[in-house]
Amino acid sequence: MNEPTPEEAAAALRAVHKGKEQVINSAMGSRWMWIISGLIVFLYCAATDLFPRQAWLGWPAVVCCLVLALGLRTRVGGTLLGRSVVVSSRSLSVTLKWRLLRIAPILAIGIAVASVITLFHVPHGEIYYGALAGLYIMFLGPRFQLWLLRRQDKD
């Protein structure tokens, strides 16, 4: 059997690492999807705060969630949304720690906004929550997901 040289072994390891990074980066999807998701969260929160008794406001949010869920879970929909690779949920860690870590930022934003609203009697709290959650989804959400995908690979 022919053993590889140290240079060949190092090149093979770099190729494996590069392949993993390509899969992780392509699983993130396109940037516009994150921006639209953040805008939807903000607009929904603002609409429910400004028009509290309108029952029809929930339907556009439900439709958007269904379209995104179906689009991201099918090959055709993923391609149309610019997401060529989907990381299987079976490959993700299912421990309680990782599940809580995925939702921790949104929960922290909700707790912080609720605390400020309660302590300082600030009106229109849902708008503030929508703005903070929308900005998180637009700018920090992709980076946090990328960090989680890379981090769980090390465990």
Side-chain angles (χ1 to χ4, degrees), residues 7-23:
E7 293 81 20
E8 292 172 338
L13 286 175
R14 278 193 301 273
V16 167
H17 180 70
K18 183 179 176 185
K20 283 183 181 180
E21 283 297 314
Q22 285 177 335
V23 168

Side-chain angles (χ1 to χ4, degrees), residues 11-40:
L13 286 175
R14 278 193 301 273
V16 167
H17 180 70
K18 183 179 176 185
K20 283 183 181 180
E21 283 297 314
Q22 285 177 335
V23 168
I24 287 172
N25 288 332
S26 64
M28 293 304 300
S30 61
R31 183 80 180 130
W32 67 267
M33 187 176 67
W34 289 95
I35 292 171
I36 289 176
S37 298
L39 285 174
I40 288 172

Side-chain angles (χ1 to χ4, degrees), residues 35-51 57 61 126-127 130-131 134 138:
I35 292 171
I36 289 176
S37 298
L39 285 174
I40 288 172
V41 167
F42 171 69
L43 292 174
Y44 177 73
C45 289
T48 57
D49 191 46
L50 296 174
F51 310 108
L57 285 175
E126 280 188 67
I127 293 175
M138 282 186 233

Side-chain angles (χ1 to χ4, degrees), residues 97-115:
K97 175 182 99 171
W98 286 107
R99 288 179 188 218
L100 290 176
L101 194 55
R102 286 184 206 165
I103 62 169
I106 296 294
L107 288 176
I109 290 170
I111 291 169
V113 169
S115 300

